[in-house]
Amino acid sequence: MGIFELSAILITLSALFSYINHRFIKLPTTIGLMVIALLFSLLLILSTRLGFDFELHAETILASIDFDKALLEGMLSALLFAGALHVNLDDLLEQKWVIALLASVGVVTSTLLIGYASYYVFGMLGVEISLIYCLLFGALISPTDPIAVLGILKKVGVPKTLETKITGESLFNDGVAVVVFLAILTIASDGAGGHDAEPMAIAQLFLQEAVGGALFGFVIGFVAYRMLSSIDQYEVEVLISLAVVLGGYAAAIAMHLSAPIAIVVAGLLIGNHGRRLAMSERTREHLDNFWELIDEILNAVLFVLIGLELMLVHFEISFIQAGMILIPVVVLARFVAVGVPVTLMKPFRKFTPHAIRILTWGGLRGGISVALALSIPNVPERDMLIAVTYLIVVFSIFVQGLTVGSLVKKDSKPDS
């Protein structure tokens, strides 16, 4: 099946599920779409038990979609740019140390805690898995995905400083987590080949990906800014922004730089300096409308895909047991990864009341974790890690996503 047919099916399902959710269910859009897609998947699976072959056709279609490439090398660039475009750089700089710690030390801490805890959980259940793949699981499940929760937080009036922390952390921790994931995957692959990965090589990979990605993002963002400032034609300027996202992301991947970090930096530059100094009011309006629409469409398709992927996940009793045990482990690891940096910084700056609790419960896992799990090579551990990741992501989006609004209303207060 070609890309046109696949796109037509996904867009049609997204539109249909969006209508059903908005008209009847009235859940937050992304959560509602995933829930309906999950129910749709379960109905197709049930149809097989009744003698129909709808599930087989659906699985064939889904199998032709390379989910990890579609997200990591397609949707993610636009989603990150759209998110970064509306982040106030001054607000971000005010929270820079908190965001930097959460997106770096927090991700690494979470990776180690979840990795070692999962090693013992799997061992307790009699599942054989090496420590390095448990650490790989820790890396892929650590990045938070605020796509489903930011709309909720805004509706309940979350304090601006807390919103900036959540948004800023999520924009950068995706890139950091991908770099950590790739570093651990390199160690696992070298170990499988009978070679030990050199620590210096891993450090060089991290610096090249993260620092190189940020520098490259600044370069393409600055070039785009100069181009935008030299003209006043909104059609061309919107096209330039699209070129930054697609061309910049592809170029970063080709140069082995962190494409997510590059696009976030470019988006921040264009969304702030470009918006204020290089665009007319008419261009800003068209640019905002364009990227808001792109963001909504891709989010809808992404969460529909997450729900439909259920049909391709292989579940065993031990996988389900491990997932149920690791759900609270992942939440606890998030609590530690957030709580330690925030507690250490409290003597030096003010935080919103109950910030740790809100940051912990609002740290949803989403499409990036599923995509990274699906990108694991064909090794014996792959099916188990995909199944456990899927269970945690579904719990995170559905349970945490539906309750975080109530938590914010209860715990947060306006900034003092």
Side-chain angles (χ1 to χ4, degrees), residues 130-146:
S130 62
L131 177 60
I132 193 63
Y133 278 101
C134 290
L135 291 172
L136 191 69
F137 168 69
L140 69 87
I141 205 66
S142 290
T144 58
D145 184 356

Side-chain angles (χ1 to χ4, degrees), residues 44-45 47-49 52-60 311:
L44 291 178
I45 294 171
S47 72
T48 302
R49 310 293 185 269
F52 301 98
D53 58 356
F54 297 136
E55 182 189 5
L56 179 61
H57 292 304
E59 287 180 355
T60 302
M311 287 181 283

Side-chain angles (χ1 to χ4, degrees), residues 95-274:
Q95 307 293 333
K96 59 182 179 296
W97 295 117
V98 179
I99 292 170
L101 283 173
L102 292 177
S104 57
V105 176
V107 168
V108 174
T109 300
S110 176
T111 296
L112 294 174
L113 289 174
I114 295 172
Y116 280 98
S118 62
Y119 181 70
Y120 288 106
V121 169
F122 289 132
M124 180 180 67
L125 295 173
V127 177
E128 291 188 11
I129 184 172
S130 62
L131 177 60
I132 193 63
Y133 278 101
C134 290
L135 291 172
L136 191 69
F137 168 69
L140 69 87
I141 205 66
S142 290
T144 58
D145 184 356
I147 293 169
V149 76
L150 277 179
I152 301 172
L153 296 180
K154 290 177 181 177
K155 287 180 181 178
V156 298
V158 65
K160 184 65 178 177
T161 55
L162 186 58
E163 182 186 328
T164 301
K165 290 184 185 74
I166 295 174
T167 306
E169 179 204 1
S170 66
L171 287 174
F172 286 100
N173 75 6
D174 282 355
V176 172
V178 170
V179 174
V180 173
F181 176 85
L182 291 174
I184 297 175
L185 186 60
T186 300
I187 297 174
S189 300
D190 287 350
H195 306 287
D196 293 327
E198 294 290 338
M200 285 302 296
I202 299 300
Q204 182 180 353
L205 172 66
F206 190 89
L207 287 174
Q208 174 185 325
E209 289 269 350
V211 179
L215 291 174
F216 180 68
F218 179 82
V219 170
I220 61 175
F222 182 76
V223 170
Y225 161 71
R226 296 292 294 180
M227 293 174 68
L228 293 170
S229 63
S230 66
I231 61 173
D232 184 16
Q233 182 69 27
Y234 75 84
E235 297 96 338
V236 178
E237 293 178 80
V238 170
L239 193 59
I240 289 172
S241 72
L242 190 59
V244 168
V245 173
L246 300 181
Y249 202 91
I253 291 174
M255 291 187 289
H256 302 289
L257 306 175
S258 175
I261 291 178
I263 294 302
V264 167
V265 172
L268 288 171
L269 185 59
I270 294 173
N272 286 269
H273 294 295

Side-chain angles (χ1 to χ4, degrees), residues 293-331:
L293 183 60
I294 292 294
D295 189 43
E296 291 295 329
I297 292 173
L298 290 182
N299 279 330
V301 173
L302 172 59
F303 280 86
V304 167
L305 267 176
I306 292 175
L308 295 177
E309 285 289 321
L310 173 67
M311 287 181 283
L312 297 183
V313 179
H314 175 67
F315 288 105
E316 293 183 7
I317 295 298
S318 59
F319 299 175
I320 297 174
Q321 291 173 332
M324 294 299 102
I325 295 173
L326 287 172
I327 284 172
V329 170
V330 169
V331 175

